[in-house]
Amino acid sequence: MIGLLTEIQWAWPWMVLLLPLPLLVHRLTPAARRDSGALRLPDGAYLPTDAGRGDFAISPWLLVTAATVWLCLIGAAARPQLLDDEISAPATGRNLMLAVDLSGSMSANDFMLGQQRVNRLVATKAVAGDFIERRVGDRLGLILFGARAYLQVPLTFDRRSVRILLNEASRGLAGEKTAIGDAIGLAVKRLREADEPDSQQVLILLTDGANTAGNIEPLKAAELAAANDLRIYTIGIGADRSEVSSTMGRVQRGRIRSDLDEQTLTRIAEMTGGAYFRATDTRTLERIYARLDELEPAATDEQGFRPVIDLYFWPLLAALGIVLAATGAALVASVLRLRPSIA
């Protein structure tokens, strides 16, 4: 108990200066005004102090009660607080948006996941999902784009929800074409609305094509991003060659026709201080996200803080309890005093 009391601190300790306020009021109030009326107690009795002069005084128990209540009120006004045990919370101060292409070309089955051939979107979900899980301390957001771009997940610390909603995304959900410029513009808008001037703003944009739709040209959007201190890392996804098993059991390799605009993606990254990466298979994509972890490190040092527990309501409850108890006692005394006369 003593150890607990020593840990209590006071937010407004200067409130104790109000302790002598009732005495000052009593001293400064003219005597004639104080004595002009009789003091009636809750039980209806008057307390004379000098029968000859007609003065009245308050009973000692009422003075003690009032003083105790006043002490409790001053204690509550001083805002006693207790510091709880320290809590560690990782934080990076980074807002990180993921923009994932859902255009029709993302259905190309040119990636391997384990021993199974999968399309580009499935591979992206698997690798990006692991990347999301590692981003402890970042506020994450998710933009999905095709012929148009839309915000799937606003900035949040809830990494699990971001990963779930990414896994639920399906090819062609936003149209068959590719609006890279609109995706960047939407990211700039949402990060600007976050209104956190001290935060680092990062966008990771993954696509397998060139800009074929949208209202904003990619380089114009990149200029807007650079003006708002948004750093963009672009990832071009798609294998250079495909492997198809023939009816004779042989593996045939052929070059894949790709619309990937690497020049524009590289220029976007350079304009905003980011970098461009090319992912031709799942292993390469994993290395790219590992490299992004190095360029934009997640939280390693945990910032500790001690939650503050306010205790002001305890003296307030004590004051209320004393007042109720005193009032109840006075009423009981009044009833007991009146009972003989009624009888």
Side-chain angles (χ1 to χ4, degrees):
M1 182 65 180
I2 297 177
L4 181 62
L5 292 176
T6 58
E7 293 183 4
I8 294 177
Q9 61 182 12
W10 306 85
W12 298 341
W14 48 267
M15 293 297 293
V16 297
L17 298 176
L18 297 177
L19 276 174
L21 183 60
L23 293 177
L24 292 176
V25 172
H26 179 78
R27 293 285 187 182
L28 298 177
T29 303
R33 185 179 299 176
R34 294 200 309 268
D35 298 337
S36 60
L39 177 66
R40 183 185 297 272
L41 294 179
D43 61 357
Y46 294 92
L47 296 179
T49 59
D50 191 329
R53 294 188 305 165
D55 293 338
F56 295 88
I58 304 175
S59 63
W61 72 267
L62 189 58
L63 281 173
V64 173
T65 301
T68 305
V69 170
W70 180 248
L71 286 173
C72 291
L73 293 177
I74 292 297
R79 288 190 60 188
Q81 297 174 337
L82 182 65
L83 291 179
D84 203 355
D85 295 335
E86 185 172 355
I87 296 177
S88 297
T92 62
R94 182 187 294 105
N95 293 329
L96 193 153
M97 299 288 294
L98 297 174
V100 179
D101 188 354
L102 297 183
S103 60
S105 56
M106 289 292 286
S107 61
N109 292 318
D110 55 357
F111 275 68
M112 295 293 295
L113 193 61
Q115 301 298 321
Q116 183 179 2
R117 182 168 295 279
V118 297
N119 62 42
R120 298 169 180 175
L121 183 57
V122 171
T124 297
K125 290 178 180 179
V127 179
D130 294 337
F131 173 77
I132 290 170
E133 288 297 327
R134 297 195 298 268
R135 302 312 301 178
V136 178
D138 289 342
R139 295 179 68 201
L140 300 177
L142 177 62
I143 292 175
L144 302 177
F145 67 97
R148 54 192 177 277
Y150 65 94
L151 183 70
Q152 179 73 346
V153 184
L155 289 170
T156 177
F157 287 109
D158 188 357
R159 304 190 309 280
R160 181 173 179 272
S161 295
V162 177
R163 185 169 187 175
I164 289 175
L165 290 173
L166 173 61
N167 288 332
E168 291 178 353
S170 58
R171 183 198 60 79
L173 182 65
E176 297 296 323
K177 296 185 178 181
T178 308
I180 296 175
D182 284 6
I184 297 174
L186 181 58
V188 172
K189 179 182 178 182
R190 292 302 180 180
L191 290 171
R192 183 188 296 172
E193 290 175 352
D195 194 22
E196 296 182 6
D198 296 332
S199 298
Q200 301 178 48
Q201 315 291 349
V202 178
L203 170 65
I204 298 175
L205 185 142
L206 186 145
T207 182
D208 68 342
N211 190 75
T212 57
N215 300 317
I216 308 176
E217 290 296 324
L219 295 183
K220 288 292 184 182
E223 291 179 4
L224 182 62
N228 286 270
D229 297 323
L230 171 58
R231 189 162 52 254
I232 302 178
Y233 296 94
T234 53
I235 302 175
I237 185 172
D240 291 326
R241 294 182 178 275
S242 63
E243 296 183 359
V244 181
S245 299
S246 65
T247 55
M248 302 297 295
R250 299 177 180 177
V251 177
Q252 298 178 347
R253 294 178 173 85
R255 187 167 183 82
I256 296 177
R257 178 183 176 274
S258 176
D259 295 326
L260 185 63
D261 188 355
E262 292 190 272
Q263 182 178 357
T264 299
L265 294 177
T266 302
R267 183 62 182 144
I268 290 172
E270 291 175 348
M271 291 173 63
T272 59
Y276 169 69
F277 303 95
R278 177 68 194 278
T280 57
D281 54 42
T282 306
R283 184 170 299 177
T284 306
L285 189 58
E286 290 174 347
R287 286 199 294 265
I288 290 171
Y289 277 108
R291 177 59 178 158
L292 290 172
D293 281 331
E294 297 175 2
L295 294 173
E296 301 290 338
T300 54
D301 297 330
E302 294 186 342
Q303 299 179 355
F305 70 97
R306 299 187 67 180
V308 176
I309 303 174
D310 283 310
L311 305 175
Y312 66 89
F313 53 88
W314 289 112
L316 281 180
L317 290 176
L320 179 61
I322 292 171
V323 170
L324 292 177
T327 303
L331 290 175
V332 171
S334 177
V335 171
L336 293 177
R337 184 173 294 138
L338 292 175
R339 183 177 296 174
S341 60
I342 294 175

